[in-house]
Amino acid sequence: MTRPAPDPAARAADLREQIRLHDRRYYVENAPIISDADYDRLMKELEALEAAHPELATPDSPTQRVGGQPLKEFPAVRHELPMLSIANTYSVEELREFAARVARLLPGESVEYMVEPKVDGLAVSLLYENGLLTRGATRGDGETGEDVTHNIRTIRAIPLRLEANPPPARLEARGEVYMPFEAFRACNAAREEAGEGQFANPRNAAAGSLKLLDPRITARRGLRFFAYAVGVCEGLAFATQFDTLAAFERMGLPVNPNRMLCRSMDEVIALTREWDTLRRRQDYPWDGMVVKVNALDQQRRLGATAKAPRGMTAFKFPPDEAVTRLLRVDVQVGKTGVLTPVARFEPVLLAGSTVSNATLHNFEEIARKDIRVGDEVVIEKAGEIIPQVVSVKVRHGSEPIRPPSACPSCGSPAERDAGGVYWRCGYPLCPAQARQRVLYFGARAAMDIEGLGPALVDQLVDRGLVRDPADLFTLTVDQLEALERMGRKSAENLCAAIAAAKSRDLNRLITALGIRQVGVRAAEVLARRFGDMDALAAATVEELLQVEDIGEITARGIRAFFDRPESRRVIEKLRAAGVNMKCLVPRSASGGPLEGQTVVVTGALRRYTRQQIEERIVALGGKPASSVSRKTSLVVAGADAGSKLAKARELGVRVVDEEEFERLIGG
Ligand code: IVH
């Protein structure tokens, strides 16, 4: 007996429904019920069906999130109802004044407050017509925003169709698009490898990502969304803010689970302390709480000032900041000669740790903030980001800080970079550059030479024993023993560690060369693609551009590196010393037991270093990743695994320990 072939239209509708349900479980209810792999299977089946029967593809199909060509520009959108802002409050006293004002304007009425996190992203307006998402726009100046529908559609937390039967004729949901810290870190790491500038904070990253002309890039940025207010609305009415959020949730729009109905301002004030702790445990930037009069009728009667409704206020948590005195600005020479200013200040407690340095990024930034030595400066730490000098609090210094005219190490004239922002020491034999390059060469992620620390490298460079990384391989036990704080035993150990580095795999050697824009990941891809150093050194820019994840700037950086005679010289010296120049893992690991799988490693492992296990994963055809998502196939968890393990459990991703991992790969 043969089963009748399923009707493709019915199957497509069924798949769409299932995917919508799982998106909702994941993004709205925070309680997924299938694994990433199963989800991907549904998606693949639907894609295949729609490819075979193009007439079945509907605009609200989950396959249609990224579509069309990049835009040339964003059309302007005039908001039917202006998108106002909210007045800020910074203290408990101001909150009480706000409540007193509300009470005065609503004499004799009882007032309840809805309290919601103020997530730090950017406000958007989503228009649903007959349940379908037809337009997404930024707030802009509140009157006119930009039409970013093509990018909004790529955000999987945003439903393309509301779950409501019948749907409202028109509903404008307003809310915040934001970038979780984890996505922010990944985004900046990728930009660093690509040689692109860093986003200063998740809000800038979210805004930058939403205003890209190419939706394929936006789709990769991990943006999320919380709905918090209604704009235009026909065919539906809400009595309170509480009901609005509940209705959003029913319709499949994500709302922040941390929300609270308070019966008095005292309850709101009690929350300020509780939430200042709670917010630090969330993976998204949350910098205040929005306090709203719950009854929408009361909100309407309270009206608005020119800028903001009278029925709400944004209580801002005090930022993690401190004031300290700037003692001096040092100039650090990087391995490629970039001269970076570093602020040294009187040690001060900031967000639980003592800090005394912060990068000042570049000299243009110092000039812009007009920071001078001796000034009392405000330093700030946002999320897990390194401390920043925000501004001058009290001016004590006299002289503006100028870019150095010469390299602090070798005295060569400082040169301005093509972009005009960076200053650079252009002398290739500069000892400070040599020191950085040698240190980097031996770093754990590069050639992993144990015992090759900064103090030792200083001595080696100062005594003229090492001018470039290849010189390390000429060092003898006797030479090393003659250095300060070096016994015979440690000299022997170091010599052995250096010798062991000769057989490291090609990807580590490529990383160790310190080519601009080429980090661990890019080195890995290049090693596998080219197989040996000579093939890489001979590659043209066009050939390099064929490699996944290698962009124009990186490709040119690689070519420029191999065109420099000094680079060629160092590589020949390394070869003569017997350093391995070939890729040892199989070049194409297809057919490996981990083929096509994304594997995240977390916690402390006993048998492997992090890099070793990642190399193993690549050798077996898998792809190591740093964060757990529904796309993760497997998590290898060691001791003390924390949030990634929890996330994997939450998402139903398969988790194994080291022993199981080895069984799995048959090792
Ligand atoms: S309600 C009349 N609720 O804060 C304005 N805004 O400072 C209605 N924001 O532009 C906005 N979380 O970008 C509201 N739970 C929340 C919010 C929130 C963040 C942002 C929003 C707004 C800005 C105002």
Side-chain angles (χ1 to χ4, degrees), residues 1-18:
M1 218 171 76
T2 54
R3 271 198 316 189
D7 167 17
R11 180 65 185 155
D14 175 43
L15 284 166
R16 258 176 233 138
E17 210 37 55
Q18 287 193 48

Side-chain angles (χ1 to χ4, degrees), residues 64-384:
Q64 304 297 305
R65 286 195 173 270
V66 185
Q69 289 297 306
L71 299 186
K72 296 255 177 323
E73 59 174 9
F74 303 111
V77 168
R78 196 161 171 87
H79 298 295
E80 279 178 57
L81 299 171
M83 290 182 78
L84 299 180
S85 93
I86 313 181
N88 289 327
T89 326
Y90 298 93
S91 64
V92 166
E93 293 71 47
E94 283 181 280
L95 275 180
R96 292 205 189 281
E97 284 167 23
F98 165 74
R101 205 161 45 241
V102 168
R104 217 171 32 246
L105 293 168
L106 301 173
E109 297 182 35
S110 73
V111 177
E112 287 183 337
Y113 297 100
M114 187 75 206
V115 186
E116 300 162 21
K118 186 170 194 300
V119 175
D120 200 11
L122 72 158
V124 299
S125 140
L126 310 179
L127 183 63
Y128 287 90
E129 292 176 296
N130 298 317
L132 286 185
L133 175 66
T134 52
R135 198 193 64 204
T138 61
R139 173 174 183 270
D141 63 5
E143 298 284 335
T144 310
E146 289 172 320
D147 184 332
V148 288
T149 312
H150 66 309
N151 286 337
I152 288 287
R153 289 177 63 92
T154 70
I155 302 173
R156 277 170 44 190
I158 295 180
L160 298 176
R161 200 179 71 199
L162 295 178
E163 288 171 45
N165 208 355
R170 291 174 88 221
L171 175 70
E172 180 195 0
R174 294 176 173 181
E176 200 84 353
V177 165
Y178 66 94
M179 190 180 278
F181 284 122
E182 194 174 340
F184 172 67
R185 280 189 292 268
C187 171
N188 263 352
R191 290 175 71 84
E192 176 157 26
E193 275 212 357
E196 295 164 350
Q198 305 276 293
F199 285 117
N201 53 50
R203 173 168 32 85
N204 290 2
S209 303
L210 200 60
K211 292 181 188 168
L212 289 165
L213 293 168
D214 186 348
R216 285 169 304 184
I217 307 177
T218 310
R220 291 200 292 263
R221 292 279 173 87
L223 294 175
R224 298 287 289 256
F225 175 76
F226 285 131
Y228 52 59
V230 174
V232 177
C233 178
E234 292 164 21
L236 208 60
F238 309 97
T240 63
Q241 174 67 8
F242 186 92
D243 292 346
T244 308
L245 298 180
F248 277 165
E249 197 165 15
R250 277 197 303 278
M251 289 189 279
L253 283 161
V255 289
N256 198 316
N258 297 303
R259 55 186 192 274
M260 201 68 107
L261 188 60
C262 293
R263 309 207 176 266
S264 67
M265 191 45 74
D266 284 335
E267 284 186 32
V268 174
I269 288 165
L271 265 190
T272 57
R273 198 144 338 109
E274 222 175 277
W275 277 16
D276 197 7
T277 312
L278 180 66
R279 74 188 176 108
R280 291 166 202 276
R281 296 201 295 267
Q282 314 291 319
D283 189 42
Y284 52 81
W286 161 358
D287 64 348
M289 45 197 242
V290 183
V291 183
K292 303 175 180 176
V293 168
N294 186 41
L296 297 180
D297 163 61
Q298 288 180 329
Q299 271 202 29
R300 257 187 303 275
R301 283 184 287 128
L302 286 165
T305 66
K307 288 200 200 106
R310 290 199 191 86
M312 55 182 83
T313 183
F315 174 82
K316 298 293 264 297
F317 294 118
D320 288 322
E321 62 169 38
V323 173
T324 183
R325 186 181 294 269
L326 181 64
L327 299 175
R328 55 174 211 278
V329 173
D330 288 343
V331 175
Q332 270 177 0
V333 187
K335 63 185 190 297
T336 58
V338 172
L339 304 176
T340 304
V342 180
R344 311 280 183 204
F345 32 76
E346 277 169 8
V348 65
L349 200 64
L350 179 65
S353 57
T354 304
V355 295
S356 50
N357 315 302
T359 165
L360 286 163
H361 303 292
N362 57 60
F363 287 94
E364 207 163 74
E365 175 156 328
I366 299 181
R368 192 158 38 79
K369 295 178 176 164
D370 195 14
I371 299 166
R372 302 180 187 187
V373 171
D375 286 352
E376 266 176 65
V377 291
V378 180
I379 57 171
E380 200 179 280
K381 206 175 194 175
E384 288 175 44

